Amino acid sequence: PAGAVPAGVALPVAAVPGIAGAGAATAGVVLAPRGLIPRIPAPRKMIAPAAATQEAPKGAICPKGHALSQYTVPHYGSGKTGTCDGCNRKMRTEETVMDCRICNWYLCPDCLPLQDLEEDMFEAIWKRFHDGRDRMGKIQIFRHTRETNPVDPPPPSWYTDQQYADICRDLRTSPKVGISRELLFLWYKRSGGGSIKKDFQTLFRS
């Protein structure tokens, strides 16, 4: 986003002070639906999403490294049923599972509780960018922004020290202190923040 960036790390732009809404020029700028990046018209350039890595939590990916997504078990026909690939339990029609359609592989709610999945996905996102540190800095947060927005990332002119300072201010931290795991998670969970599921699938899809 080109105005105040909402949540400082690949975060939606609307919430960041100094970007859209803090007196900064906003002519021609379209706020990103997710709120972290200023959507200034920029050349559309496809950036290949990163492949799944060993950093992704086992519960959130299939054995071949594809991101799982919610799937409703269909009616397979009389006398036929699907089976959980974790515990071999027979699945009921219309039951929700976490599934990889590419591999026809899924886990039942007992093997991968849906409430735990989001935490697994966030952990994978955090591990991908924190570079072994307990906080993200400017380099890591800007990389998060680029890689979670591969189709329409902010233009090169967006990645400035001031932009990073605005992001940190919005997250109630400072450039010197950096962005903690907790602050990034809170950004994802707040209204107008990002989508853990969407970013995970963008980063770890095959």
Side-chain angles (χ1 to χ4, degrees), residues 136-143 159-162 164 175 178:
M136 288 186 189
K138 181 178 69 174
I139 293 175
Q140 292 78 27
I141 221 61
F142 284 172
R143 185 158 63 90
Y159 302 94
T160 64
D161 289 342
Q162 183 57 55
Y164 175 57

Side-chain angles (χ1 to χ4, degrees), residues 41-125:
R44 295 248 176 185
K45 182 165 112 183
M46 290 299 296
I47 299 177
T53 72
Q54 67 276 15
E55 292 186 349
K58 294 180 180 179
I61 60 177
C62 76
K64 291 187 177 180
H66 303 129
L68 302 184
S69 60
Q70 289 189 27
Y71 176 72
T72 301
V73 178
H75 177 62
Y76 291 109
S78 179
K80 298 180 180 180
T81 182
T83 303
C84 170
D85 289 288
C87 65
N88 294 319
R89 176 169 74 81
K90 299 299 182 182
M91 306 305 299
R92 299 183 298 274
T93 299
E94 299 300 316
E95 190 168 1
T96 299
V97 297
M98 294 308 301
D99 167 86
C100 171
R101 281 293 78 205
I102 297 174
C103 300
N104 188 28
W105 189 94
Y106 56 70
L107 297 175
C108 70
D110 294 328
C111 289
L112 183 60
L114 299 184
Q115 62 267 30
D116 294 340
L117 179 63
E118 186 175 71
E119 294 181 10
D120 285 343
M121 291 191 292
F122 175 76
E123 187 63 23
I125 293 171

